[in-house]
Amino acid sequence: MPAAKQKKRIAIFGSTGSIGTQALDVIRSHNELFEVEILTAHSNAELLIEQALEFEPNAVLIGDEAKYEMLKTALVSKNIKVFAGEKALEELADFNTYDIMLAAIVGFAGLKPTLKAVSKGKMVALANKETLVVAGDIVMQTALEHRAPIIPVDSEHSAIFQCLVGESRNPIEKIILTASGGPFLGKKPNFLVNVKRDHALQHPNWSMGAKITIDSATLMNKGLEMIEAKWLFNLKPEQVEVVIHQQSVIHSMVQFQDGSIKAQMGLPDMKLPIQYALGFPHRIKNEFPRFSFRKYPNLSFEEPDFKTFRNLGLAIQALKAGGNTACVLNAANEIAVWAFLKNRIGFLDITAVVEKTIEKINFIQKPSLEEYFESDGEARNFAASIIKL
Ligand code: NDP
Ligand code: MG
Protein backbone atom coordinates (compact mmCIF):
# COMPACT_ATOMS: atom_id res chain seq x y z
CA MET A 1 0.00 0.00 0.00
CA PRO A 2 1.46 3.44 -0.86
CA ALA A 3 2.37 5.56 2.17
CA ALA A 4 -0.25 8.19 2.99
CA LYS A 5 0.78 11.54 1.58
CA GLN A 6 1.93 14.04 4.18
CA LYS A 7 -0.05 17.22 4.33
CA LYS A 8 1.85 20.40 3.57
CA ARG A 9 2.10 22.54 6.69
CA ILE A 10 1.42 26.17 5.89
CA ALA A 11 2.55 29.25 7.84
CA ILE A 12 0.43 32.23 6.88
CA PHE A 13 2.07 35.52 7.76
CA GLY A 14 -0.74 38.05 7.41
CA SER A 15 -3.63 35.57 7.73
CA THR A 16 -6.29 38.21 8.43
CA GLY A 17 -5.77 40.12 5.19
CA SER A 18 -7.23 39.72 1.75
CA ILE A 19 -4.60 37.19 0.62
CA GLY A 20 -4.50 35.46 4.02
CA THR A 21 -8.25 34.86 4.21
CA GLN A 22 -8.39 33.64 0.61
CA ALA A 23 -5.51 31.26 1.35
CA LEU A 24 -7.52 29.86 4.27
CA ASP A 25 -10.46 29.36 1.88
CA VAL A 26 -8.14 27.31 -0.35
CA ILE A 27 -6.85 25.30 2.61
CA ARG A 28 -10.40 24.73 3.92
CA SER A 29 -11.42 23.28 0.55
CA HIS A 30 -8.34 21.03 0.45
CA ASN A 31 -7.82 19.89 3.99
CA GLU A 32 -6.64 16.55 2.64
CA LEU A 33 -3.58 18.38 1.23
CA PHE A 34 -2.85 21.22 3.64
CA GLU A 35 -2.82 22.01 7.33
CA VAL A 36 -2.23 25.31 9.06
CA GLU A 37 0.90 25.62 11.19
CA ILE A 38 1.20 29.35 11.92
CA LEU A 39 -1.16 32.33 11.66
CA THR A 40 -0.20 35.97 12.21
CA ALA A 41 -2.07 39.27 12.29
CA HIS A 42 -1.21 42.87 13.03
CA SER A 43 -4.18 44.01 15.13
CA ASN A 44 -7.28 42.09 14.06
CA ALA A 45 -7.40 39.78 17.09
CA GLU A 46 -11.08 38.90 16.60
CA LEU A 47 -10.51 37.36 13.19
CA LEU A 48 -7.26 35.74 14.26
CA ILE A 49 -9.08 34.04 17.14
CA GLU A 50 -11.80 32.80 14.80
CA GLN A 51 -9.18 31.43 12.40
CA ALA A 52 -7.18 29.81 15.21
CA LEU A 53 -10.27 28.10 16.64
CA GLU A 54 -11.14 26.72 13.24
CA PHE A 55 -7.70 25.66 11.98
CA GLU A 56 -5.95 24.90 15.29
CA PRO A 57 -2.44 25.89 14.26
CA ASN A 58 0.68 25.22 16.31
CA ALA A 59 1.26 28.95 16.88
CA VAL A 60 -0.38 32.34 16.41
CA LEU A 61 1.00 35.86 16.65
CA ILE A 62 -0.64 39.23 17.09
CA GLY A 63 1.52 42.28 16.32
CA ASP A 64 -0.35 44.54 18.72
CA GLU A 65 0.91 43.55 22.16
CA ALA A 66 -2.10 45.08 23.87
CA LYS A 67 -4.21 42.27 22.38
CA TYR A 68 -2.08 39.43 23.73
CA GLU A 69 -4.26 38.74 26.79
CA MET A 70 -7.41 38.66 24.71
CA LEU A 71 -5.86 36.16 22.31
CA LYS A 72 -4.40 34.02 25.08
CA THR A 73 -7.72 33.89 26.96
CA ALA A 74 -9.73 33.00 23.87
CA LEU A 75 -7.40 30.13 22.99
CA VAL A 76 -6.85 28.83 26.51
CA SER A 77 -8.61 25.52 25.87
CA LYS A 78 -6.51 24.83 22.78
CA ASN A 79 -2.97 23.64 22.51
CA ILE A 80 -1.81 26.71 20.58
CA LYS A 81 1.33 28.78 21.29
CA VAL A 82 0.48 32.47 21.50
CA PHE A 83 2.97 35.21 20.62
CA ALA A 84 2.72 39.00 20.53
CA GLY A 85 4.80 41.84 19.15
CA GLU A 86 6.18 42.32 15.69
CA LYS A 87 9.68 41.30 16.77
CA ALA A 88 8.43 37.75 17.32
CA LEU A 89 7.54 37.45 13.60
CA GLU A 90 11.11 36.39 12.88
CA GLU A 91 11.01 33.92 15.78
CA LEU A 92 7.99 32.23 14.20
CA ALA A 93 9.57 32.29 10.75
CA ASP A 94 12.47 30.42 12.36
CA PHE A 95 10.24 27.46 13.31
CA ASN A 96 11.19 24.18 11.65
CA THR A 97 7.65 22.88 11.70
CA TYR A 98 6.23 24.43 8.56
CA ASP A 99 6.79 23.52 4.91
CA ILE A 100 5.63 26.68 3.14
CA MET A 101 5.49 30.28 4.30
CA LEU A 102 2.75 32.28 2.63
CA ALA A 103 4.22 35.78 2.86
CA ALA A 104 1.02 37.85 2.95
CA ILE A 105 1.92 40.72 5.26
CA VAL A 106 1.53 44.08 3.57
CA GLY A 107 4.50 46.39 3.09
CA PHE A 108 8.05 46.59 4.41
CA ALA A 109 7.02 44.75 7.59
CA GLY A 110 7.02 41.52 5.56
CA LEU A 111 10.72 41.69 4.74
CA LYS A 112 12.30 40.32 7.94
CA PRO A 113 10.16 37.19 8.41
CA THR A 114 10.33 36.39 4.70
CA LEU A 115 14.08 36.74 4.67
CA LYS A 116 14.28 34.49 7.71
CA ALA A 117 12.22 31.79 5.96
CA VAL A 118 14.39 32.05 2.85
CA SER A 119 17.58 31.82 4.91
CA LYS A 120 16.24 28.55 6.35
CA GLY A 121 15.71 27.17 2.85
CA LYS A 122 11.92 27.17 3.26
CA MET A 123 9.61 27.36 0.29
CA VAL A 124 8.02 30.81 0.21
CA ALA A 125 4.75 31.55 -1.57
CA LEU A 126 5.34 35.26 -2.03
CA ALA A 127 2.49 37.75 -2.09
CA ASN A 128 4.39 40.50 -0.25
CA LYS A 129 5.97 42.18 -3.29
CA GLU A 130 7.49 44.94 -1.14
CA THR A 131 10.04 42.38 0.12
CA LEU A 132 11.58 42.18 -3.34
CA VAL A 133 11.09 45.86 -4.14
CA VAL A 134 13.06 46.85 -1.04
CA ALA A 135 15.86 44.28 -0.96
CA GLY A 136 15.44 42.05 -4.00
CA ASP A 137 19.16 41.47 -4.46
CA ILE A 138 19.68 40.23 -0.89
CA VAL A 139 16.48 38.16 -0.81
CA MET A 140 17.19 36.41 -4.14
CA GLN A 141 20.85 35.80 -3.27
CA THR A 142 19.86 34.32 0.09
CA ALA A 143 17.25 32.13 -1.61
CA LEU A 144 19.87 30.90 -4.05
CA GLU A 145 22.40 30.14 -1.34
CA HIS A 146 19.88 28.24 0.78
CA ARG A 147 17.99 26.67 -2.13
CA ALA A 148 14.73 28.25 -0.99
CA PRO A 149 12.14 28.16 -3.78
CA ILE A 150 10.18 31.39 -4.13
CA ILE A 151 6.84 30.82 -5.83
CA PRO A 152 5.09 34.06 -6.73
CA VAL A 153 1.50 34.66 -5.67
CA ASP A 154 1.07 38.05 -7.32
CA SER A 155 -1.17 37.13 -10.26
CA GLU A 156 1.10 38.64 -12.95
CA HIS A 157 4.18 36.91 -11.60
CA SER A 158 2.33 33.66 -11.09
CA ALA A 159 1.34 33.93 -14.77
CA ILE A 160 4.94 34.46 -15.86
CA PHE A 161 6.14 31.67 -13.59
CA GLN A 162 3.55 29.33 -15.14
CA CYS A 163 4.57 30.38 -18.67
CA LEU A 164 8.18 29.55 -17.82
CA VAL A 165 7.53 25.99 -16.65
CA GLY A 166 9.42 23.73 -19.07
CA GLU A 167 11.34 26.67 -20.59
CA SER A 168 14.44 26.69 -18.38
CA ARG A 169 16.76 26.48 -21.40
CA ASN A 170 15.01 29.22 -23.32
CA PRO A 171 16.07 32.80 -22.67
CA ILE A 172 13.34 35.36 -22.10
CA GLU A 173 13.30 38.23 -24.58
CA LYS A 174 10.89 40.23 -22.49
CA ILE A 175 7.93 39.90 -20.19
CA ILE A 176 4.72 41.84 -20.58
CA LEU A 177 2.92 42.65 -17.35
CA THR A 178 -0.74 43.39 -17.81
CA ALA A 179 -2.42 46.16 -15.81
CA SER A 180 -6.15 46.73 -15.50
CA GLY A 181 -5.55 50.47 -15.31
CA GLY A 182 -7.50 50.67 -12.06
CA PRO A 183 -10.61 52.74 -11.36
CA PHE A 184 -9.23 55.91 -12.97
CA LEU A 185 -8.21 54.59 -16.36
CA GLY A 186 -8.59 57.38 -18.93
CA LYS A 187 -8.86 60.10 -16.26
CA LYS A 188 -6.65 63.19 -16.31
CA PRO A 189 -5.01 65.21 -13.49
CA ASN A 190 -7.89 67.73 -13.37
CA PHE A 191 -10.12 64.82 -12.30
CA LEU A 192 -7.59 63.02 -10.11
CA VAL A 193 -6.85 66.09 -8.03
CA ASN A 194 -10.29 65.75 -6.41
CA VAL A 195 -10.30 62.00 -5.92
CA LYS A 196 -11.11 60.83 -2.39
CA ARG A 197 -10.22 57.67 -0.55
CA ASP A 198 -13.57 55.87 -0.93
CA HIS A 199 -13.58 56.29 -4.69
CA ALA A 200 -9.97 55.15 -5.03
CA LEU A 201 -10.75 52.07 -2.92
CA GLN A 202 -13.17 50.76 -5.55
CA HIS A 203 -11.18 48.59 -7.92
CA PRO A 204 -13.07 47.41 -11.02
CA ASN A 205 -11.73 43.81 -11.16
CA TRP A 206 -10.02 42.82 -7.92
CA SER A 207 -11.01 42.93 -4.26
CA MET A 208 -7.82 43.52 -2.25
CA GLY A 209 -6.39 45.15 0.88
CA ALA A 210 -6.49 48.96 1.11
CA LYS A 211 -2.81 49.66 0.40
CA ILE A 212 -2.57 47.64 -2.80
CA THR A 213 -5.93 48.98 -3.97
CA ILE A 214 -4.61 52.55 -3.76
CA ASP A 215 -1.36 51.42 -5.41
CA SER A 216 -3.46 49.99 -8.24
CA ALA A 217 -5.33 53.27 -8.65
CA THR A 218 -2.07 55.28 -8.85
CA LEU A 219 -0.34 52.59 -10.99
CA MET A 220 2.39 52.37 -8.35
CA ASN A 221 1.36 48.74 -7.99
CA LYS A 222 2.42 48.05 -11.57
CA GLY A 223 5.69 49.86 -10.96
CA LEU A 224 6.36 47.76 -7.86
CA GLU A 225 5.50 44.68 -9.92
CA MET A 226 8.06 45.63 -12.60
CA ILE A 227 10.73 45.69 -9.88
CA GLU A 228 9.40 42.46 -8.37
CA ALA A 229 9.59 40.81 -11.81
CA LYS A 230 13.16 41.97 -12.38
CA TRP A 231 14.29 40.15 -9.24
CA LEU A 232 12.12 37.06 -9.55
CA PHE A 233 13.05 36.34 -13.15
CA ASN A 234 16.53 37.91 -13.26
CA LEU A 235 15.71 40.46 -15.96
CA LYS A 236 17.20 43.72 -17.18
CA PRO A 237 14.95 46.78 -16.79
CA GLU A 238 14.38 46.98 -20.55
CA GLN A 239 13.03 43.41 -20.57
CA VAL A 240 10.03 44.39 -18.44
CA GLU A 241 7.08 45.99 -20.22
CA VAL A 242 3.61 47.03 -19.12
CA VAL A 243 0.44 47.00 -21.18
CA ILE A 244 -3.00 48.15 -20.06
CA HIS A 245 -5.45 45.29 -20.43
CA GLN A 246 -8.69 46.37 -18.88
CA GLN A 247 -10.39 43.00 -18.58
CA SER A 248 -7.64 41.42 -16.39
CA VAL A 249 -8.05 37.97 -17.93
CA ILE A 250 -4.58 37.72 -19.45
CA HIS A 251 -2.58 37.77 -16.25
CA SER A 252 0.75 38.40 -18.00
CA MET A 253 2.91 37.14 -20.84
CA VAL A 254 6.41 36.01 -21.71
CA GLN A 255 8.02 36.62 -25.10
CA PHE A 256 10.84 34.23 -26.01
CA GLN A 257 13.74 34.81 -28.38
CA ASP A 258 11.86 33.32 -31.33
CA GLY A 259 9.20 36.02 -30.88
CA SER A 260 6.67 33.52 -29.60
CA ILE A 261 4.51 34.76 -26.73
CA LYS A 262 3.00 32.60 -23.98
CA ALA A 263 0.19 34.03 -21.87
CA GLN A 264 -1.58 32.68 -18.82
CA MET A 265 -5.30 33.42 -18.62
CA GLY A 266 -8.19 33.00 -16.25
CA LEU A 267 -10.82 34.92 -14.36
CA PRO A 268 -9.43 37.54 -12.00
CA ASP A 269 -9.51 35.59 -8.74
CA MET A 270 -6.51 35.54 -6.39
CA LYS A 271 -7.48 32.09 -5.10
CA LEU A 272 -6.08 30.61 -8.28
CA PRO A 273 -2.48 31.91 -7.96
CA ILE A 274 -2.61 31.23 -4.20
CA GLN A 275 -3.68 27.65 -4.82
CA TYR A 276 -1.08 27.23 -7.58
CA ALA A 277 1.71 28.41 -5.26
CA LEU A 278 0.63 26.20 -2.35
CA GLY A 279 0.10 23.17 -4.58
CA PHE A 280 3.20 23.64 -6.75
CA PRO A 281 4.30 21.70 -8.74
CA HIS A 282 0.83 20.13 -8.91
CA ARG A 283 -2.33 21.77 -10.17
CA ILE A 284 -5.20 21.03 -7.83
CA LYS A 285 -8.68 20.32 -9.11
CA ASN A 286 -11.18 22.90 -7.93
CA GLU A 287 -14.69 24.19 -8.47
CA PHE A 288 -13.76 27.82 -9.24
CA PRO A 289 -15.90 29.40 -11.98
CA ARG A 290 -14.39 28.79 -15.43
CA PHE A 291 -13.39 31.45 -17.92
CA SER A 292 -15.45 31.68 -21.10
CA PHE A 293 -14.10 33.37 -24.24
CA ARG A 294 -17.68 34.03 -25.32
CA LYS A 295 -18.19 36.31 -22.34
CA TYR A 296 -15.09 38.29 -23.34
CA PRO A 297 -15.47 38.93 -27.10
CA ASN A 298 -13.22 41.99 -26.90
CA LEU A 299 -9.89 41.95 -25.16
CA SER A 300 -8.21 45.34 -25.29
CA PHE A 301 -4.58 46.44 -24.99
CA GLU A 302 -3.20 49.96 -24.75
CA GLU A 303 -0.20 51.97 -23.70
CA PRO A 304 -0.24 53.27 -20.08
CA ASP A 305 -0.73 57.02 -19.64
CA PHE A 306 2.71 57.80 -18.20
CA LYS A 307 2.00 61.54 -18.18
CA THR A 308 -0.98 61.27 -15.85
CA PHE A 309 0.11 58.27 -13.76
CA ARG A 310 3.62 59.47 -12.99
CA ASN A 311 4.20 56.83 -10.30
CA LEU A 312 4.84 54.33 -13.04
CA GLY A 313 7.66 56.50 -14.40
CA LEU A 314 9.12 56.93 -10.91
CA ALA A 315 9.15 53.18 -10.40
CA ILE A 316 10.86 52.67 -13.76
CA GLN A 317 13.42 55.27 -12.71
CA ALA A 318 14.02 53.24 -9.51
CA LEU A 319 14.19 50.01 -11.50
CA LYS A 320 16.91 51.47 -13.70
CA ALA A 321 18.81 53.26 -10.92
CA GLY A 322 19.11 50.15 -8.72
CA GLY A 323 20.81 50.51 -5.33
CA ASN A 324 18.52 51.77 -2.57
CA THR A 325 16.22 53.77 -4.88
CA ALA A 326 13.38 51.24 -4.95
CA CYS A 327 13.61 50.89 -1.17
CA VAL A 328 13.23 54.66 -0.83
CA LEU A 329 10.39 54.75 -3.36
CA ASN A 330 8.58 52.02 -1.45
CA ALA A 331 8.97 53.68 1.95
CA ALA A 332 7.78 57.07 0.69
CA ASN A 333 4.87 55.41 -1.05
CA GLU A 334 3.81 53.52 2.09
CA ILE A 335 3.77 56.77 4.07
CA ALA A 336 1.97 58.69 1.31
CA VAL A 337 -0.68 56.00 0.77
CA TRP A 338 -1.28 55.81 4.51
CA ALA A 339 -1.72 59.60 4.62
CA PHE A 340 -4.09 59.48 1.64
CA LEU A 341 -6.15 56.76 3.33
CA LYS A 342 -6.41 59.05 6.38
CA ASN A 343 -7.56 61.91 4.13
CA ARG A 344 -4.42 63.87 5.01
CA ILE A 345 -3.19 64.38 1.44
CA GLY A 346 -4.73 64.34 -2.03
CA PHE A 347 -4.42 61.61 -4.64
CA LEU A 348 -1.83 63.42 -6.75
CA ASP A 349 0.21 64.32 -3.65
CA ILE A 350 1.17 60.64 -3.37
CA THR A 351 3.39 61.00 -6.43
CA ALA A 352 4.80 64.32 -5.25
CA VAL A 353 5.83 62.83 -1.89
CA VAL A 354 7.52 59.86 -3.56
CA GLU A 355 9.35 62.06 -6.08
CA LYS A 356 10.65 64.50 -3.46
CA THR A 357 11.79 61.68 -1.19
CA ILE A 358 13.75 59.97 -3.97
CA GLU A 359 15.45 63.30 -4.73
CA LYS A 360 16.34 63.83 -1.07
CA ILE A 361 17.67 60.49 0.18
CA ASN A 362 21.31 59.66 -0.55
CA PHE A 363 21.88 57.05 -3.21
CA ILE A 364 23.69 53.88 -2.12
CA GLN A 365 24.91 51.66 -4.95
CA LYS A 366 25.12 48.33 -3.12
CA PRO A 367 23.34 48.58 0.24
CA SER A 368 23.77 46.05 3.02
CA LEU A 369 20.62 44.86 4.78
CA GLU A 370 21.27 47.41 7.55
CA GLU A 371 21.58 50.14 4.93
CA TYR A 372 18.25 49.12 3.41
CA PHE A 373 16.70 49.48 6.86
CA GLU A 374 18.36 52.86 7.30
CA SER A 375 17.22 54.07 3.88
CA ASP A 376 13.70 52.89 4.66
CA GLY A 377 13.70 54.79 7.97
CA GLU A 378 15.17 57.98 6.47
CA ALA A 379 12.71 57.91 3.59
CA ARG A 380 9.76 57.41 5.95
CA ASN A 381 10.89 60.30 8.16
CA PHE A 382 11.43 62.62 5.23
CA ALA A 383 8.12 61.68 3.57
CA ALA A 384 6.31 62.22 6.88
CA SER A 385 8.01 65.60 7.32
CA ILE A 386 6.81 66.93 3.98
CA ILE A 387 3.30 65.68 4.65
CA LYS A 388 3.64 67.27 8.12
CA LEU A 389 2.44 64.15 9.88
P1 NDP B 1 -4.26 43.35 3.68
O1 NDP B 1 -4.08 44.75 4.13
O2 NDP B 1 -5.61 42.88 3.34
O3 NDP B 1 -3.66 42.35 4.79
C1 NDP B 1 -2.40 42.56 5.33
C2 NDP B 1 -2.09 41.50 6.38
O4 NDP B 1 -0.84 41.84 7.01
C3 NDP B 1 -3.12 41.42 7.51
O5 NDP B 1 -3.10 40.12 8.06
C4 NDP B 1 -2.56 42.42 8.53
O6 NDP B 1 -3.03 42.19 9.84
C5 NDP B 1 -1.08 42.16 8.40
N1 NDP B 1 -0.25 43.34 8.71
C6 NDP B 1 -0.49 44.62 8.38
N2 NDP B 1 0.49 45.42 8.82
C7 NDP B 1 1.38 44.63 9.45
C8 NDP B 1 2.59 44.87 10.14
N3 NDP B 1 3.11 46.09 10.28
N4 NDP B 1 3.23 43.82 10.68
C9 NDP B 1 2.74 42.57 10.57
N5 NDP B 1 1.59 42.28 9.92
C10 NDP B 1 0.92 43.29 9.37
O7 NDP B 1 -3.26 43.16 2.46
P2 NDP B 1 -3.41 42.18 1.20
O8 NDP B 1 -3.79 40.82 1.64
O9 NDP B 1 -4.20 42.85 0.16
O10 NDP B 1 -1.92 42.18 0.65
C11 NDP B 1 -0.88 41.48 1.29
C12 NDP B 1 0.34 41.50 0.38
O11 NDP B 1 0.04 40.78 -0.80
C13 NDP B 1 0.75 42.91 -0.06
O12 NDP B 1 2.14 42.98 -0.14
C14 NDP B 1 0.14 43.04 -1.44
O13 NDP B 1 0.88 43.90 -2.28
C15 NDP B 1 0.25 41.61 -1.94
N6 NDP B 1 -0.76 41.25 -2.95
C16 NDP B 1 -2.08 41.31 -2.64
C17 NDP B 1 -3.03 41.01 -3.59
C18 NDP B 1 -4.49 41.00 -3.25
O14 NDP B 1 -5.31 40.60 -4.08
N7 NDP B 1 -4.90 41.41 -2.07
C19 NDP B 1 -2.65 40.66 -4.96
C20 NDP B 1 -1.23 40.59 -5.18
C21 NDP B 1 -0.32 40.89 -4.19
P3 NDP B 1 -4.38 42.94 10.38
O15 NDP B 1 -5.51 42.36 9.58
O16 NDP B 1 -4.44 42.56 11.81
O17 NDP B 1 -4.18 44.40 10.14
MG1 MG C 1 -0.54 41.92 -9.21
Side-chain angles (χ1 to χ4, degrees):
M1 212 170 64
K5 261 199 176 162
Q6 289 231 315
K7 291 185 189 183
K8 289 186 187 175
R9 298 161 301 176
I10 315 293
I12 307 183
F13 281 62
S15 66
T16 49
S18 159
I19 293 288
T21 51
Q22 292 183 82
L24 287 171
D25 289 344
V26 167
I27 292 172
R28 189 182 290 112
S29 316
H30 294 284
N31 57 15
E32 75 290 2
L33 298 176
F34 305 115
E35 63 189 12
V36 177
E37 175 66 14
I38 293 171
L39 296 172
T40 84
H42 180 52
S43 61
N44 191 347
E46 292 78 6
L47 183 54
L48 184 61
I49 289 167
E50 211 179 283
Q51 294 177 341
L53 291 173
E54 178 182 353
F55 291 95
E56 304 199 356
N58 177 19
V60 296
L61 178 146
I62 185 88
D64 181 353
E65 294 179 31
K67 303 215 167 137
Y68 174 76
E69 281 307 325
M70 173 185 174
L71 194 58
K72 186 89 188 148
T73 310
L75 302 180
V76 71
S77 63
K78 302 280 178 187
N79 186 18
I80 300 175
K81 300 183 185 82
V82 179
F83 293 77
E86 241 120 75
K87 287 208 179 89
L89 280 170
E90 266 187 292
E91 214 178 302
L92 265 78
D94 200 25
F95 274 29
N96 289 322
T97 50
Y98 66 94
D99 300 305
I100 304 178
M101 170 192 278
L102 174 64
I105 287 175
V106 60
F108 183 83
L111 172 59
K112 272 191 180 171
T114 307
L115 195 53
K116 173 58 79 181
V118 164
S119 70
K120 287 175 68 67
K122 294 286 185 189
M123 179 180 272
V124 172
L126 186 75
N128 176 250
K129 63 191 83 184
E130 294 90 347
T131 284
L132 289 181
V133 171
V134 170
D137 54 347
I138 292 181
V139 175
M140 294 310 289
Q141 184 57 35
T142 311
L144 196 70
E145 277 165 20
H146 297 274
R147 296 171 185 262
I150 299 183
I151 316 294
V153 169
D154 212 349
S155 58
E156 295 77 2
H157 306 73
S158 173
I160 293 162
F161 186 91
Q162 293 181 52
C163 290
L164 289 174
V165 169
E167 301 281 5
S168 60
R169 290 161 188 238
N170 291 319
I172 298 170
E173 194 164 88
K174 67 175 179 185
I175 61 161
I176 304 147
L177 294 176
T178 51
S180 70
F184 306 131
L185 180 64
K187 302 292 188 210
K188 295 293 169 196
N190 61 353
F191 174 90
L192 296 176
V193 74
N194 295 316
V195 157
K196 292 281 176 286
R197 152 189 209 281
D198 290 347
H199 193 181
L201 280 174
Q202 278 154 22
H203 194 280
N205 302 345
W206 299 96
S207 160
M208 311 176 282
K211 193 258 179 184
I212 184 175
T213 306
I214 302 303
D215 284 346
S216 299
T218 65
L219 289 203
M220 180 57 94
N221 182 50
K222 212 46 58 179
L224 300 179
E225 289 182 352
M226 293 177 83
I227 301 167
E228 179 186 13
K230 170 203 152 75
W231 292 118
L232 276 173
F233 306 113
N234 193 19
L235 301 169
K236 298 195 180 73
E238 55 278 14
Q239 287 177 292
V240 187
E241 205 174 280
V242 170
V243 65
I244 301 290
H245 164 54
Q246 234 180 311
Q247 300 76 21
S248 298
V249 295
I250 294 186
H251 297 315
S252 278
M253 302 170 250
V254 179
Q255 182 171 311
F256 295 94
Q257 59 182 0
D258 60 354
S260 194
I261 294 176
K262 274 169 112 175
Q264 188 264 340
M265 301 181 71
L267 291 171
D269 179 351
M270 283 309 296
K271 284 203 202 59
L272 194 49
I274 292 169
Q275 184 188 283
Y276 182 82
L278 297 184
F280 182 78
H282 304 293
R283 290 186 183 273
I284 302 165
K285 188 172 166 53
N286 61 35
E287 304 303 325
F288 300 161
R290 268 34 180 174
F291 173 78
S292 158
F293 279 93
R294 284 170 194 84
K295 288 193 184 147
Y296 288 86
N298 300 306
L299 295 184
S300 62
F301 304 94
E302 57 184 291
E303 183 72 354
D305 178 355
F306 286 96
K307 255 174 113 175
T308 304
F309 295 91
R310 293 200 305 115
N311 273 352
L312 195 52
L314 289 175
I316 293 172
Q317 184 189 321
L319 175 71
K320 290 183 176 158
N324 63 342
T325 314
C327 170
V328 170
L329 167 114
N330 178 70
N333 183 58
E334 285 191 25
I335 294 291
V337 169
W338 182 84
F340 174 74
L341 284 168
K342 298 264 176 222
N343 296 316
R344 303 283 289 271
I345 61 172
F347 188 79
L348 294 177
D349 298 330
I350 298 174
T351 308
V353 170
V354 173
E355 190 169 36
K356 283 187 190 149
T357 309
I358 292 177
E359 278 167 18
K360 174 74 181 177
I361 304 299
N362 283 340
F363 179 71
I364 307 174
Q365 181 72 55
K366 185 100 188 67
S368 62
L369 190 59
E370 292 69 35
E371 286 170 323
Y372 277 127
F373 275 84
E374 281 162 24
S375 295
D376 173 80
E378 283 172 29
R380 274 167 204 272
N381 288 339
F382 181 75
S385 75
I386 40 180
I387 297 170
K388 301 195 175 47
L389 290 176

